[in-house]
Amino acid sequence: MNIKYGLTGVLSILLTLTSAAQADDFPHAKSGLYLGGEYGMSEYGSGCRDMTITCEDDDDAYNWFAGYRFNDYFALEGSYRELGEATSWFPVGNNGKKEKTWAEGYDLSVLVGLPLSDRWMAYVRGGGLYYDASMVEGGDLFMEQSQNETGWAPTAGAGIVFRATEHLQTRLQYQYVSDYGNSDWNREPDVQSVTLGLLWQFGKVEGRPVQEPVAEPVAEPVAAPVEAEPETKPVNVLSQFDFDSSTVSNTAALDQLLSEMGSSEAQITVTGYADGAGPAEYNMGLSKKRAEAVKAYLVSKGVSASRITLDWKGETEASSQSPNPADRKAVVSTELPK
């Protein structure tokens, strides 16, 4: 395997997702502790000396990590990393001579995120790895010699995260560990790796935006035709309201309707409306209050409450040029004799 272009590949994926990602209102934990693990492949640079007849400079790599995400843009992460090993064989006799070098350690890094959508996020990372590295030389005819080295090496990387559920995430990551070891090894290898991992993000999940329910119109009962009943005509009367008000202030139109109804026992429907100013939930409640205020006025004038049906629609039927004072109203609908 050759992953020398791993960072370029990850960055290409990031650019593709940046152009394609769309906000999708997916609820997820934006902050809190997270735990996870990754598995992939590593490749050593300068892992094998010159004059080798065979060199295997790639191997399995894995790590376990824990971190704390403060928000979508910043996290702090610590991990244990196993970087695999590189092995080379020298042309010494029939049995040859073998040399291996490997490294593991504890990484502490800062992650800086770039949200692409509610499900996708890119990030870059940088920090340091406290490594424990070894180099062993030997073979069937040679005494084994081992050298160990510990110290700090800078690390850098980039990756993408996909939120599969509200807490479960998967990520693809490229990471580079700079030179480690010492001059006694005749080289200071570096390691790069590409891994795929899973993590569980703890924390509170923000809910989806709530779509305010639209009250369905109350179906008017269909009365059986009665031949003796006089013909009627539909009548709609407006009661206008002031901004953010549910007080019935102009009653002239309502009084005229009551005068025309006389002793009629016709059913009445009162529907409240609101303009588009303010939150939808508040406007739904305001339109209900306006319908109730008109009903209370009609009842105060002698109309039986059992004859009045209420409905309210909030801003759902507001004018396109909102807010429009004409939308601050209640409509009284009934039937009058022709």
Side-chain angles (χ1 to χ4, degrees), residues 222-245:
V222 179
V226 180
E227 295 181 2
E229 286 287 331
E231 293 184 356
T232 59
K233 61 180 179 180
V235 176
N236 296 316
V237 175
L238 298 181
S239 178
Q240 297 292 146
F241 290 82
D242 293 331
F243 176 75
D244 195 27
S245 172

Side-chain angles (χ1 to χ4, degrees), residues 7-223:
L7 179 58
T8 303
V10 171
L11 291 178
S12 298
I13 295 173
L14 295 183
L15 292 174
T16 301
L17 289 174
T18 301
S19 62
Q22 301 291 332
D24 47 18
D25 296 330
F26 181 75
H28 61 277
K30 292 182 177 292
S31 63
L33 176 71
Y34 63 87
L35 303 172
E38 293 176 324
Y39 174 80
M41 297 295 292
S42 65
E43 182 181 68
Y44 280 74
S46 301
C48 298
R49 290 185 180 179
D50 296 335
M51 303 301 293
T52 59
I53 57 174
T54 305
C55 178
E56 294 181 358
D57 57 3
D58 53 12
D59 198 4
D60 295 344
Y62 62 87
N63 72 88
W64 304 102
F65 57 87
Y68 189 88
R69 176 160 299 285
F70 297 90
N71 49 49
D72 273 346
Y73 303 96
F74 181 73
L76 187 63
E77 182 177 299
S79 63
Y80 167 75
R81 308 188 67 83
E82 171 61 62
L83 299 175
E85 65 181 29
T87 306
S88 54
W89 286 266
F90 297 91
V92 180
N94 294 328
N95 295 314
K97 185 178 181 181
K98 180 171 66 175
E99 178 187 271
K100 294 195 300 183
T101 179
W102 65 87
E104 61 184 2
Y106 298 91
D107 178 275
L108 182 62
S109 294
V110 172
L111 280 68
V112 178
L114 172 64
L116 305 177
S117 74
D118 285 345
R119 281 187 179 268
W120 291 94
M121 181 180 70
Y123 66 91
V124 294
R125 61 183 297 150
L129 175 75
Y130 184 77
Y131 63 84
D132 181 2
S134 299
M135 184 177 69
V136 177
E137 292 182 302
D140 294 341
L141 301 179
F142 299 90
M143 181 181 297
E144 187 174 273
Q145 296 180 342
S146 176
Q147 299 183 59
N148 293 90
E149 180 72 17
T150 60
W152 284 95
T155 66
I160 51 175
V161 173
F162 174 72
R163 298 181 176 96
T165 70
E166 295 175 346
H167 294 282
L168 181 64
Q169 303 174 13
T170 183
R171 75 183 190 185
L172 175 67
Q173 177 174 270
Y174 169 88
Q175 187 159 6
Y176 175 79
V177 179
S178 187
D179 303 344
Y180 69 88
N182 59 47
S183 58
D184 294 339
W185 293 13
N186 296 320
R187 63 196 182 283
E188 291 180 316
D190 57 77
V191 187
Q192 55 184 338
S193 60
V194 173
T195 53
L196 182 65
L198 292 174
L199 68 90
W200 185 268
Q201 172 75 64
F202 299 91
K204 182 180 178 181
V205 177
E206 296 184 2
R208 296 180 185 272
V210 178
Q211 174 121 24
E212 293 302 325
V214 179
E216 294 185 2
V218 178
E220 299 246 0
V222 179

